[in-house]
Amino acid sequence: MLLVAGGASRADAAGQAIARGAAMAALAVALLFGVRPIAFPAPLRPIFFLLLVTIMLPLIQLIPLPPAGWQSLSGREIFAAAADLSGQPQPWRPWSIAPDATLNAAASLLVPLAMLLIASQLAASDRGRLLEWLLGLIALSALVGLIQLSGNGFDHPLLKNVKWEVSGLFANRNHFALFIAMGVLIAPVWAVLDERRLRIRGVVAFALVALFLLILIASGSRSGLVTGGIALAVALILVRRPILVALRKYPRWITWMLLPTTVLLIGVLVSASIEADRAVSIRRVLDLDATGELRQRTLPTVLSMTKDYLPFGTGMGSFDPIFRMHEPFDLLKPTYFNHAHNDFVEIVLDGGLFGLALLIAGIGWWAWASLRAWRAPPNSGVLVARTGSVILLLVMIASAFDYPARTPLIMAVIVLAAIWLGWGDERRGDASLPRL
């Protein structure tokens, strides 16, 4: 359901109703029929508490405050002055300056909550299948992107997407490119998880990675090129050991020829894309477009806003109306600036020091769990945990330039990657998967 309807972050996208409706139905099923809907395993409890506090923050921001208390919050002076001019008694107002946007932000968190409740109840024997399910969804989205690349427009009825843009089942090409970059990472890992079918899976994984790289080059996403390159490099590190073990069965010259042949094929693929004028991402790296320049020009304004509204922030999801209040005349344009295009800054702007504390806690848990996963003895469970760690890293890198974590499908993948990382935090690894 999220693949079909969860590719947009805007509140007015028709797919939001379907994505959140599916999340509510999944929550009801998990609570009524789940094995352990409340008692999370120990490795997953930090994820649950982080998500719980994240949900609580926008809900607390919706609690009405007395007039004197609300006006004493930083950045509310202009509203207090307008209230004094009206001469009317002032009502109690919520902490958030844009309560409707904050309510939408709270409702969006139904998706990761549903994902956490469902995935945490899976039996150990089913955990390894999650990786191939996600890879299949990425491949389906890539096929839609391939259709768009061929010149056939795809007007998604549930998303507000650009018809002729290579964005797959997403409204934003940067979010789509991040999803595809995850596929570049996951495909090689999926191939080595089954030693008995490594040869067949290896061929499939190589074809998928080639397709994913082609889509990334044509997507026009510069952040996608960065995350895709990182994903490919880390994937080679992750699978090098099982690949080298498998290659011992073959003559040594095959091992020596494998890497240069792979690099040559990737080079041919990139060259063909450039020659066919399909390498939009590479062209945009060489030519700074108006959008990229605008993001650089708006950053000082956004940082100034963040400072002005500390320590309490403006309310989760309130960036759009708040930025319109502070937008300089030289930045006015026919379109609007919907997000800060740096989610770390925007979270601090919206949540104040509370949002900053959540960021530090989340990144701190990721760093601690990742360190344990990368230091643990290698087995398939640890390999999947490391994959989850890198997926979260890719999301953080992309979030420095855009806002992918606000898309329902990416939200669900974030939770799934955190669960993989949490499961791999166990020293014994995952007994249901073979040792590498």
Side-chain angles (χ1 to χ4, degrees):
M1 294 298 293
L2 293 179
L3 180 70
V4 173
S9 60
R10 287 184 53 163
D12 58 350
Q16 294 287 9
I18 297 176
R20 295 176 188 180
M24 292 177 66
L27 279 171
V29 171
L31 291 172
L32 291 174
F33 306 106
V35 178
R36 46 173 185 265
I38 298 177
F40 288 97
L44 304 187
R45 287 173 191 164
I47 306 170
F48 170 73
F49 287 116
L50 279 170
L51 181 56
L52 180 63
V53 176
T54 303
I55 294 172
M56 289 175 59
L57 178 57
L59 293 179
I60 292 174
Q61 290 177 332
L62 292 173
I63 298 175
L65 301 175
W70 188 86
Q71 292 180 8
S72 66
L73 299 180
S74 55
R76 272 65 172 182
E77 295 82 4
I78 185 173
F79 303 101
D84 293 338
L85 290 175
S86 68
Q88 300 293 325
Q90 297 304 308
W92 287 41
R93 290 186 174 91
W95 169 356
S96 171
I97 297 176
D100 55 337
T102 303
L103 181 61
N104 173 70
S108 69
L109 297 174
L110 286 169
V111 172
L113 180 61
M115 189 68 185
L116 179 60
L117 283 176
I118 293 174
S120 64
Q121 297 179 46
L122 288 177
S125 59
D126 294 325
R127 294 176 184 175
R129 300 177 187 176
L130 291 172
L131 200 71
E132 60 189 40
W133 271 97
L134 180 56
L135 180 61
L137 297 183
I138 295 172
L140 286 175
S141 188
L143 289 177
V144 176
L146 191 61
I147 294 173
Q148 295 168 330
L149 177 60
S150 67
N152 296 308
F154 180 75
D155 189 8
H156 199 310
L158 300 176
L159 311 177
K160 294 182 180 292
N161 67 322
V162 180
K163 185 176 181 180
W164 300 104
E165 194 174 81
V166 180
S167 57
L169 293 171
F170 286 81
N172 185 304
R173 63 184 173 189
N174 291 324
H175 305 170
F176 169 66
L178 172 62
F179 197 54
I180 298 300
M182 294 176 185
V184 174
L185 171 70
I186 293 172
V189 174
W190 166 77
V192 303
L193 284 178
D194 191 337
E195 296 177 351
R196 295 170 299 176
R197 292 181 287 181
L198 179 58
R199 184 182 303 176
I200 298 176
R201 285 193 173 198
V203 173
V204 174
F206 184 84
L208 286 175
V209 170
L211 172 63
F212 295 156
L213 291 176
L214 174 65
I215 297 297
L216 281 176
I217 293 170
S219 67
S221 171
R222 289 170 294 193
S223 64
L225 278 184
V226 174
T227 53
I230 294 173
L232 181 61
V234 177
L236 294 177
I237 295 173
L238 285 173
V239 303
R240 72 187 187 282
R241 179 171 177 172
I243 292 295
L244 290 175
V245 170
L247 288 175
R248 290 175 185 172
K249 305 175 185 177
Y250 302 96
R252 185 178 295 272
W253 65 269
I254 293 181
T255 304
W256 287 105
M257 288 298 296
L258 184 61
L259 181 59
T261 302
T262 302
V263 173
L264 178 62
L265 288 174
I266 293 175
V268 170
L269 179 67
V270 174
S271 300
S273 299
I274 296 174
E275 185 67 24
D277 198 27
R278 295 292 186 179
V280 182
S281 297
I282 296 176
R283 189 168 68 244
R284 291 185 70 235
V285 168
L286 300 176
D287 300 325
L288 182 63
D289 64 350
T291 302
E293 183 184 2
L294 178 64
R295 293 176 183 178
Q296 294 179 3
R297 291 170 57 198
T298 56
L299 184 58
T301 302
V302 175
L303 292 175
S304 176
M305 291 165 52
T306 304
K307 180 182 178 181
D308 292 342
Y309 286 97
L310 286 177
F312 295 100
T314 61
M316 303 308 293
S318 63
F319 178 84
D320 175 24
I322 301 303
F323 183 77
R324 297 189 193 203
M325 293 171 48
H326 297 267
E327 188 174 15
F329 284 111
D330 60 336
L331 294 180
L332 291 177
K333 57 191 184 303
T335 57
Y336 74 103
F337 202 59
N338 59 339
H339 286 286
H341 293 275
N342 184 321
D343 243 1
F344 300 100
V345 175
E346 186 169 343
I347 288 173
V348 178
L349 170 63
D350 292 351
L353 294 182
F354 304 95
L356 178 61
L358 269 176
L359 272 178
I360 294 173
I363 295 174
W365 174 83
W366 167 81
W368 173 75
S370 297
L371 182 62
R372 295 192 63 178
W374 284 90
R375 294 177 62 182
N379 60 48
S380 293
V382 171
L383 180 60
V384 174
R386 293 174 181 176
T387 303
S389 170
V390 179
I391 288 176
L392 294 177
L393 175 63
L394 295 179
V395 174
M396 286 188 281
I397 293 173
S399 296
F401 308 99
D402 217 279
Y403 46 95
R406 298 175 185 269
T407 304
L409 179 55
I410 301 297
M411 283 185 185
V413 175
I414 289 172
V415 171
L416 190 56
I419 289 174
W420 287 338
L421 182 56
W423 274 328
D425 194 29
E426 299 175 283
R427 290 290 185 180
R428 62 181 180 276
D430 192 337
S432 68
L433 295 171
R435 296 190 65 84
L436 297 178

